[in-house]
Amino acid sequence: MKIEFENETIEFNVQYGIRKKITIHIDSMGFITVKAPNDTSKEMVMSAVKQHGKTILEKVQLIAKARETPKTREYQDNGKFLHLGKYYFLHELIETNELNEEELKMNLKKFYFSSCKKIIGERIKIYQTQLKVKPKIIEVDESKTKWGSCSSDKKITFNYRLAMAPVEVIDYVIIHELCHLLHMNHDRSFWRRVGSIMPDYKEKEAYLTRHGHAMTL
């Protein structure tokens, strides 16, 4: 479902269940889920989202901002960059001798792309087996707003910047996207399936929210 609010579009999924009130949840990827009692009308759900529209947009914008590239980066031997959840000096990740800033940045991005493809390729096999699913295409690309995505034609895409996150956080994004092969939305069944593989997935979401701003070039 979606509504227009202050010239912005708010898209969200609705989960109905046995509960007393409507609650709104926004995960680390900016996905919005409205949880409502079984007998809640569509109008009441829309009204609740509109009522909290300003807060929702602010939170979504903060999540997007956390993923924006910082204005300055130290592309020199002593500059520090994340890789698999730990900080390393630039020269520990790539060759730095006699390279200018543009060349260093380009080579570092290549390093992250290569690292991400390798770790995704290794880890996704584990969870494909557990979930009994198999995507048609697996790609690594660059995105400012998403850590991963899954299309209706079973193509799964991962953000190369995931190579900066701890392996268990990468695992969460892998599980999240593989579960979309079973449930294309974020309903209760989807989150139940995610939780069946990774019970503490909310901690991994929180990591991406807190550290997303640092996982950039």
Side-chain angles (χ1 to χ4, degrees):
M1 295 175 68
K2 62 183 179 181
I3 65 165
E4 296 298 321
F5 184 86
E6 294 185 353
N7 298 319
E8 297 279 351
T9 300
I10 299 177
E11 294 190 24
F12 56 93
N13 291 307
V14 184
Q15 291 181 11
Y16 294 97
I18 301 173
R19 49 177 54 90
K20 294 182 179 180
K21 61 181 181 179
I22 296 174
T23 58
I24 300 172
H25 172 72
I26 304 172
D27 70 17
S28 64
M29 299 183 184
F31 291 117
I32 304 164
T33 302
V34 179
K35 297 182 179 181
N38 284 321
D39 58 352
T40 306
S41 67
K42 179 180 177 180
E43 289 71 23
M44 288 179 67
V45 171
M46 304 280 271
S47 176
V49 174
K50 284 185 179 180
Q51 183 180 346
H52 299 282
K54 186 175 181 180
T55 301
I56 291 170
L57 288 176
E58 287 175 352
K59 287 185 178 180
V60 170
Q61 288 163 3
L62 279 175
I63 291 170
K65 188 175 181 180
R67 296 173 182 165
E68 290 179 357
T69 305
K71 293 181 180 179
T72 59
R73 276 291 191 185
E74 294 183 14
Y75 286 93
Q76 54 187 4
D77 281 358
N78 292 328
K80 287 189 175 183
F81 295 84
L82 278 168
H83 182 232
L84 300 181
K86 295 180 180 180
Y87 277 101
Y88 293 87
F89 290 117
L90 182 60
H91 66 82
E92 295 179 295
L93 300 177
I94 62 170
E95 177 61 51
T96 59
N97 291 335
E98 299 181 5
L99 296 177
N100 60 38
E101 182 174 320
E102 204 57 40
E103 290 170 329
L104 289 170
K105 186 173 182 178
M106 180 178 66
N107 288 353
L108 185 59
K109 181 179 281 191
K110 287 180 180 178
F111 166 79
Y112 281 126
F113 262 96
S114 176
S115 178
C116 188
K117 287 178 181 178
K118 182 176 184 294
I119 193 73
I120 292 291
E122 293 172 352
R123 306 299 293 176
I124 201 167
K125 292 176 184 176
I126 299 170
Y127 299 109
Q128 282 182 188
T129 301
Q130 290 186 38
L131 290 163
K132 295 181 175 61
V133 296
K134 187 174 182 180
K136 287 184 178 179
I137 302 173
I138 302 169
E139 290 186 351
V140 172
D141 72 0
E142 182 173 6
S143 173
K144 290 184 178 180
T145 59
K146 294 182 179 180
W147 296 112
S149 63
C150 178
S151 66
S152 57
D153 59 357
K154 296 185 178 183
K155 173 184 175 182
I156 293 182
T157 305
F158 296 98
N159 193 322
Y160 81 93
R161 294 186 291 118
L162 281 172
M164 303 178 195
V167 172
E168 61 268 23
V169 175
I170 298 173
D171 283 352
Y172 161 64
V173 179
I174 290 172
I175 292 166
H176 185 113
E177 300 310 331
L178 286 177
C179 283
H180 276 314
L181 296 176
L182 301 169
H183 308 279
M184 280 305 294
N185 54 22
H186 290 89
D187 59 12
R188 194 188 324 176
S189 297
F190 169 82
W191 290 112
R192 188 184 298 122
R193 198 71 186 93
V194 172
S196 72
I197 303 296
M198 181 174 279
D200 62 346
Y201 71 86
K202 288 186 178 181
E203 294 180 12
K204 310 306 184 287
E205 284 188 337
Y207 180 95
L208 291 170
T209 301
R210 288 195 307 268
H211 301 285
H213 69 282
M215 293 165 58
T216 53
L217 291 182

